[in-house]
Amino acid sequence: MDRPRYIWPEGKRSAACFSVDVDAEAPYLWTHRAGLPPHLGQLEQRRFGPREGIWRILDMLDRVGIKGSFYVPSVVAELHPELLPALCERGHEIGLHGHLHELVAEITDDQFQAALDRSLEVFKAQTGMVPCGFRSPAWEMTPAMIAALKSRGLRYDSSLMGYDHPYEIGGLVQVPVQWQIDDAIYFKFQGGGADRWPPEPARAVEAGWRDEFEAGRDFCQLFTITVHPWVSGRAQRVAMLERVLTHIAAQDDVWFATASRIAEWHLTANAGRFVVETGLDTLAARLDREAGA
């Protein structure tokens, strides 16, 4: 069976996107939303992101000549009001990432919509712009969330993994991600018995990411790296990212773009070619039949 190949601009073989989840304090605040403990360790570790990590990453991107997509919880924008304007001034895309980095399994549809509306208000107040993209905390989505994004005019989501190139699900463009090219699964370490493995050396992760990039080019893959400034803003990891991005950017058959440009391209050249529904109703009906069998 012939499989359709994804079409990239100007005959490019594959594409790449550098994305940043600027979580900072937000996940910690969500976890302790009933009341903060009198501890500083994890908070200070996360605050390294907006204090130092993100600026090191931005300087690195300037050296490589790449624009990224930065997804910022709106509470982080409120706590660090210099962030969103600085990202816009340096030519990067800003996207939504919840308010308190709310986990999908722990909120109602109404709570999600309230967080979404608050985020839109904060972004518009701080930048005068309304973002066109969303990334869900912990990379989970529901049909109701997709409908809420569409109703507010957002053009894409970047949270799911049903293809390794853009597609449409529930009528919304999906700019897919991958766990294996997310820094947190290799580097996130908070100590105190909370982690079950030590962080990987950056050189080992670099080798794996380069292997995935090279292998994925045969499949027209979108190589979406995801990093977190409090995790990958450390010296060894910034240096690793610069080596990886410099290698990718040097390939003349790879299109490097922000997620918003990739979503726009999909609707221009691939609309209707890779379209799926969520399929939850069909699966639920099957389970009902199985239960009654």
Side-chain angles (χ1 to χ4, degrees):
M1 177 181 175
D2 291 335
R3 305 289 300 169
R5 293 182 66 80
Y6 197 83
I7 300 170
W8 290 113
E10 302 174 357
K12 300 291 187 182
R13 186 177 173 192
S14 63
C17 178
F18 183 75
S19 68
V20 184
D21 291 355
V22 192
D23 293 349
E25 303 98 330
Y28 189 82
L29 295 176
W30 175 254
T31 298
H32 299 288
R33 58 194 180 278
L36 285 176
H39 306 145
L40 287 173
Q42 289 192 30
L43 266 177
E44 282 295 285
Q45 187 178 2
R46 287 183 167 279
R47 286 167 171 163
F48 177 84
R51 288 176 184 161
E52 289 284 352
I54 194 167
W55 310 107
R56 294 177 183 180
I57 289 171
L58 287 170
D59 290 343
M60 179 272 294
L61 292 175
D62 284 347
R63 291 193 296 272
V64 179
I66 287 171
K67 301 303 182 186
S69 297
F70 289 73
Y71 301 94
V72 186
S74 51
V75 72
V76 174
E78 291 176 332
L79 290 169
H80 307 278
E82 73 281 3
L83 282 180
L84 292 184
L87 292 170
C88 293
E89 183 178 344
R90 294 175 80 150
H92 299 287
E93 177 191 6
I94 54 173
L96 304 176
H97 197 41
H99 176 63
L100 282 175
H101 199 270
E102 298 85 357
L103 297 182
V104 174
E106 298 175 2
I107 59 172
T108 65
D109 292 343
D110 288 344
Q111 288 171 325
F112 170 76
Q113 294 193 49
L116 179 60
D117 289 337
R118 181 167 181 179
S119 297
L120 288 166
E121 291 172 2
V122 170
F123 274 59
K124 187 172 182 179
Q126 290 194 0
T127 69
M129 300 166 52
V130 177
C132 66
F134 175 82
R135 175 170 285 171
S136 176
W139 289 350
E140 185 54 276
M141 289 293 288
T142 69
M145 292 169 68
I146 291 175
L149 297 180
K150 290 168 56 181
S151 72
R152 288 157 176 80
L154 275 81
R155 298 200 294 275
Y156 79 88
D157 171 63
S158 181
S159 311
L160 301 177
M161 310 180 199
Y163 283 96
D164 56 11
H165 56 64
Y167 64 105
E168 295 165 63
I169 181 168
L172 188 68
V173 174
Q174 184 65 219
V175 178
V177 290
Q178 280 197 61
W179 281 116
Q180 68 174 325
I181 41 179
D182 177 284
D183 65 346
I185 68 170
Y186 303 104
F187 299 139
K188 182 180 176 181
F189 186 84
Q190 295 172 283
D195 302 288
R196 300 174 186 268
W197 56 83
E200 292 283 341
R203 287 281 183 180
V205 176
E206 177 182 356
W209 284 4
R210 286 183 62 150
D211 284 348
E212 176 63 22
F213 166 70
E214 295 295 345
R217 294 167 77 185
D218 289 337
F219 302 98
C220 306
Q221 176 175 274
L222 170 62
F223 188 79
T224 305
I225 293 178
T226 302
V227 303
H228 303 75
W230 73 274
V231 175
S232 283
R234 299 289 179 175
Q236 175 189 151
R237 297 165 191 165
V238 173
M240 179 272 281
L241 289 173
E242 185 162 358
R243 292 191 298 270
V244 170
L245 297 180
T246 298
H247 171 73
I248 296 172
Q251 311 308 309
D252 59 10
D253 59 354
V254 177
W255 184 44
F256 225 125
T258 62
S260 59
R261 289 188 65 200
I262 290 166
E264 290 170 6
W265 169 256
H266 178 83
L267 292 175
T268 299
N270 293 278
R273 297 188 64 230
F274 299 92
V275 178
V276 300
E277 295 301 325
T278 62
L280 290 182
D281 291 343
T282 300
L283 290 175
R286 175 174 286 273
L287 284 178
D288 288 343
R289 292 197 302 270
E290 296 284 350

PDB file of all heavy atoms in Angstrom, residues 56-72:
ATOM      1  N   ARG A  56      19.576  32.515  28.415  1.00  0.00           N
ATOM      2  CA  ARG A  56      20.655  31.755  27.783  1.00  0.00           C
ATOM      3  C   ARG A  56      20.148  31.080  26.509  1.00  0.00           C
ATOM      4  O   ARG A  56      20.849  31.039  25.486  1.00  0.00           O
ATOM      5  CB  ARG A  56      21.200  30.715  28.751  1.00  0.00           C
ATOM      6  CG  ARG A  56      21.887  31.301  29.971  1.00  0.00           C
ATOM      7  CD  ARG A  56      22.345  30.212  30.931  1.00  0.00           C
ATOM      8  NE  ARG A  56      22.933  30.773  32.138  1.00  0.00           N
ATOM      9  CZ  ARG A  56      23.409  30.057  33.143  1.00  0.00           C
ATOM     10  NH1 ARG A  56      23.376  28.721  33.077  1.00  0.00           N
ATOM     11  NH2 ARG A  56      23.924  30.640  34.208  1.00  0.00           N
ATOM     12  N   ILE A  57      18.938  30.537  26.577  1.00  0.00           N
ATOM     13  CA  ILE A  57      18.357  29.890  25.400  1.00  0.00           C
ATOM     14  C   ILE A  57      18.105  30.919  24.294  1.00  0.00           C
ATOM     15  O   ILE A  57      18.385  30.664  23.121  1.00  0.00           O
ATOM     16  CB  ILE A  57      17.066  29.149  25.789  1.00  0.00           C
ATOM     17  CG1 ILE A  57      17.411  27.913  26.629  1.00  0.00           C
ATOM     18  CG2 ILE A  57      16.261  28.745  24.553  1.00  0.00           C
ATOM     19  CD1 ILE A  57      16.203  27.215  27.255  1.00  0.00           C
ATOM     20  N   LEU A  58      17.599  32.086  24.660  1.00  0.00           N
ATOM     21  CA  LEU A  58      17.353  33.123  23.655  1.00  0.00           C
ATOM     22  C   LEU A  58      18.652  33.583  22.993  1.00  0.00           C
ATOM     23  O   LEU A  58      18.706  33.769  21.765  1.00  0.00           O
ATOM     24  CB  LEU A  58      16.637  34.308  24.299  1.00  0.00           C
ATOM     25  CG  LEU A  58      15.168  34.083  24.654  1.00  0.00           C
ATOM     26  CD1 LEU A  58      14.642  35.228  25.508  1.00  0.00           C
ATOM     27  CD2 LEU A  58      14.323  33.923  23.397  1.00  0.00           C
ATOM     28  N   ASP A  59      19.689  33.762  23.768  1.00  0.00           N
ATOM     29  CA  ASP A  59      20.972  34.155  23.185  1.00  0.00           C
ATOM     30  C   ASP A  59      21.502  33.058  22.262  1.00  0.00           C
ATOM     31  O   ASP A  59      22.070  33.345  21.197  1.00  0.00           O
ATOM     32  CB  ASP A  59      21.989  34.446  24.290  1.00  0.00           C
ATOM     33  CG  ASP A  59      21.674  35.728  25.061  1.00  0.00           C
ATOM     34  OD1 ASP A  59      20.873  36.544  24.557  1.00  0.00           O
ATOM     35  OD2 ASP A  59      22.222  35.897  26.165  1.00  0.00           O
ATOM     36  N   MET A  60      21.326  31.807  22.661  1.00  0.00           N
ATOM     37  CA  MET A  60      21.754  30.693  21.817  1.00  0.00           C
ATOM     38  C   MET A  60      20.993  30.693  20.499  1.00  0.00           C
ATOM     39  O   MET A  60      21.574  30.493  19.414  1.00  0.00           O
ATOM     40  CB  MET A  60      21.545  29.368  22.560  1.00  0.00           C
ATOM     41  CG  MET A  60      21.922  28.117  21.794  1.00  0.00           C
ATOM     42  SD  MET A  60      20.573  27.461  20.766  1.00  0.00           S
ATOM     43  CE  MET A  60      19.397  26.976  22.024  1.00  0.00           C
ATOM     44  N   LEU A  61      19.684  30.926  20.540  1.00  0.00           N
ATOM     45  CA  LEU A  61      18.893  30.964  19.309  1.00  0.00           C
ATOM     46  C   LEU A  61      19.338  32.104  18.402  1.00  0.00           C
ATOM     47  O   LEU A  61      19.346  31.962  17.171  1.00  0.00           O
ATOM     48  CB  LEU A  61      17.409  31.095  19.649  1.00  0.00           C
ATOM     49  CG  LEU A  61      16.766  29.875  20.326  1.00  0.00           C
ATOM     50  CD1 LEU A  61      15.324  30.186  20.710  1.00  0.00           C
ATOM     51  CD2 LEU A  61      16.827  28.643  19.436  1.00  0.00           C
ATOM     52  N   ASP A  62      19.714  33.239  18.993  1.00  0.00           N
ATOM     53  CA  ASP A  62      20.246  34.341  18.183  1.00  0.00           C
ATOM     54  C   ASP A  62      21.514  33.908  17.461  1.00  0.00           C
ATOM     55  O   ASP A  62      21.715  34.246  16.284  1.00  0.00           O
ATOM     56  CB  ASP A  62      20.539  35.555  19.064  1.00  0.00           C
ATOM     57  CG  ASP A  62      19.287  36.310  19.474  1.00  0.00           C
ATOM     58  OD1 ASP A  62      18.212  36.054  18.890  1.00  0.00           O
ATOM     59  OD2 ASP A  62      19.386  37.156  20.379  1.00  0.00           O
ATOM     60  N   ARG A  63      22.376  33.178  18.152  1.00  0.00           N
ATOM     61  CA  ARG A  63      23.634  32.747  17.522  1.00  0.00           C
ATOM     62  C   ARG A  63      23.367  31.780  16.372  1.00  0.00           C
ATOM     63  O   ARG A  63      24.026  31.836  15.325  1.00  0.00           O
ATOM     64  CB  ARG A  63      24.547  32.086  18.559  1.00  0.00           C
ATOM     65  CG  ARG A  63      25.097  33.038  19.597  1.00  0.00           C
ATOM     66  CD  ARG A  63      26.221  32.415  20.403  1.00  0.00           C
ATOM     67  NE  ARG A  63      25.797  31.276  21.207  1.00  0.00           N
ATOM     68  CZ  ARG A  63      25.323  31.357  22.442  1.00  0.00           C
ATOM     69  NH1 ARG A  63      25.195  32.549  23.026  1.00  0.00           N
ATOM     70  NH2 ARG A  63      24.982  30.275  23.120  1.00  0.00           N
ATOM     71  N   VAL A  64      22.395  30.888  16.553  1.00  0.00           N
ATOM     72  CA  VAL A  64      22.100  29.892  15.525  1.00  0.00           C
ATOM     73  C   VAL A  64      21.246  30.496  14.411  1.00  0.00           C
ATOM     74  O   VAL A  64      21.249  30.005  13.278  1.00  0.00           O
ATOM     75  CB  VAL A  64      21.407  28.668  16.152  1.00  0.00           C
ATOM     76  CG1 VAL A  64      21.074  27.622  15.103  1.00  0.00           C
ATOM     77  CG2 VAL A  64      22.301  28.044  17.224  1.00  0.00           C
ATOM     78  N   GLY A  65      20.492  31.546  14.716  1.00  0.00           N
ATOM     79  CA  GLY A  65      19.631  32.177  13.719  1.00  0.00           C
ATOM     80  C   GLY A  65      18.294  31.494  13.558  1.00  0.00           C
ATOM     81  O   GLY A  65      17.779  31.373  12.441  1.00  0.00           O
ATOM     82  N   ILE A  66      17.710  31.066  14.673  1.00  0.00           N
ATOM     83  CA  ILE A  66      16.456  30.315  14.653  1.00  0.00           C
ATOM     84  C   ILE A  66      15.418  31.037  15.512  1.00  0.00           C
ATOM     85  O   ILE A  66      15.745  31.581  16.573  1.00  0.00           O
ATOM     86  CB  ILE A  66      16.672  28.883  15.187  1.00  0.00           C
ATOM     87  CG1 ILE A  66      17.424  28.035  14.154  1.00  0.00           C
ATOM     88  CG2 ILE A  66      15.354  28.203  15.560  1.00  0.00           C
ATOM     89  CD1 ILE A  66      17.862  26.697  14.681  1.00  0.00           C
ATOM     90  N   LYS A  67      14.169  31.027  15.054  1.00  0.00           N
ATOM     91  CA  LYS A  67      13.053  31.522  15.852  1.00  0.00           C
ATOM     92  C   LYS A  67      12.289  30.338  16.423  1.00  0.00           C
ATOM     93  O   LYS A  67      12.068  29.338  15.740  1.00  0.00           O
ATOM     94  CB  LYS A  67      12.121  32.394  15.005  1.00  0.00           C
ATOM     95  CG  LYS A  67      12.803  33.606  14.382  1.00  0.00           C
ATOM     96  CD  LYS A  67      13.465  34.506  15.425  1.00  0.00           C
ATOM     97  CE  LYS A  67      14.107  35.730  14.774  1.00  0.00           C
ATOM     98  NZ  LYS A  67      14.869  36.547  15.758  1.00  0.00           N
ATOM     99  N   GLY A  68      11.892  30.459  17.682  1.00  0.00           N
ATOM    100  CA  GLY A  68      11.204  29.371  18.357  1.00  0.00           C
ATOM    101  C   GLY A  68       9.780  29.713  18.710  1.00  0.00           C
ATOM    102  O   GLY A  68       9.318  30.844  18.546  1.00  0.00           O
ATOM    103  N   SER A  69       9.074  28.691  19.208  1.00  0.00           N
ATOM    104  CA  SER A  69       7.701  28.841  19.699  1.00  0.00           C
ATOM    105  C   SER A  69       7.721  28.618  21.206  1.00  0.00           C
ATOM    106  O   SER A  69       8.105  27.546  21.675  1.00  0.00           O
ATOM    107  CB  SER A  69       6.781  27.818  19.018  1.00  0.00           C
ATOM    108  OG  SER A  69       6.735  28.043  17.626  1.00  0.00           O
ATOM    109  N   PHE A  70       7.296  29.639  21.955  1.00  0.00           N
ATOM    110  CA  PHE A  70       7.380  29.623  23.415  1.00  0.00           C
ATOM    111  C   PHE A  70       5.962  29.579  23.985  1.00  0.00           C
ATOM    112  O   PHE A  70       5.156  30.483  23.739  1.00  0.00           O
ATOM    113  CB  PHE A  70       8.100  30.868  23.913  1.00  0.00           C
ATOM    114  CG  PHE A  70       9.584  30.884  23.626  1.00  0.00           C
ATOM    115  CD1 PHE A  70      10.058  31.083  22.337  1.00  0.00           C
ATOM    116  CD2 PHE A  70      10.496  30.696  24.654  1.00  0.00           C
ATOM    117  CE1 PHE A  70      11.412  31.101  22.062  1.00  0.00           C
ATOM    118  CE2 PHE A  70      11.869  30.722  24.399  1.00  0.00           C
ATOM    119  CZ  PHE A  70      12.327  30.918  23.094  1.00  0.00           C
ATOM    120  N   TYR A  71       5.670  28.537  24.774  1.00  0.00           N
ATOM    121  CA  TYR A  71       4.351  28.349  25.365  1.00  0.00           C
ATOM    122  C   TYR A  71       4.445  28.681  26.849  1.00  0.00           C
ATOM    123  O   TYR A  71       5.210  28.045  27.596  1.00  0.00           O
ATOM    124  CB  TYR A  71       3.869  26.918  25.129  1.00  0.00           C
ATOM    125  CG  TYR A  71       3.795  26.594  23.651  1.00  0.00           C
ATOM    126  CD1 TYR A  71       4.856  25.980  23.000  1.00  0.00           C
ATOM    127  CD2 TYR A  71       2.692  26.977  22.894  1.00  0.00           C
ATOM    128  CE1 TYR A  71       4.816  25.741  21.636  1.00  0.00           C
ATOM    129  CE2 TYR A  71       2.634  26.735  21.529  1.00  0.00           C
ATOM    130  CZ  TYR A  71       3.703  26.103  20.909  1.00  0.00           C
ATOM    131  OH  TYR A  71       3.659  25.872  19.556  1.00  0.00           O
ATOM    132  N   VAL A  72       3.664  29.690  27.260  1.00  0.00           N
ATOM    133  CA  VAL A  72       3.850  30.292  28.580  1.00  0.00           C
ATOM    134  C   VAL A  72       2.550  30.234  29.373  1.00  0.00           C
ATOM    135  O   VAL A  72       1.531  30.817  28.951  1.00  0.00           O
ATOM    136  CB  VAL A  72       4.301  31.764  28.439  1.00  0.00           C
ATOM    137  CG1 VAL A  72       4.642  32.344  29.809  1.00  0.00           C
ATOM    138  CG2 VAL A  72       5.484  31.890  27.486  1.00  0.00           C
TER     139      VAL A  72
END
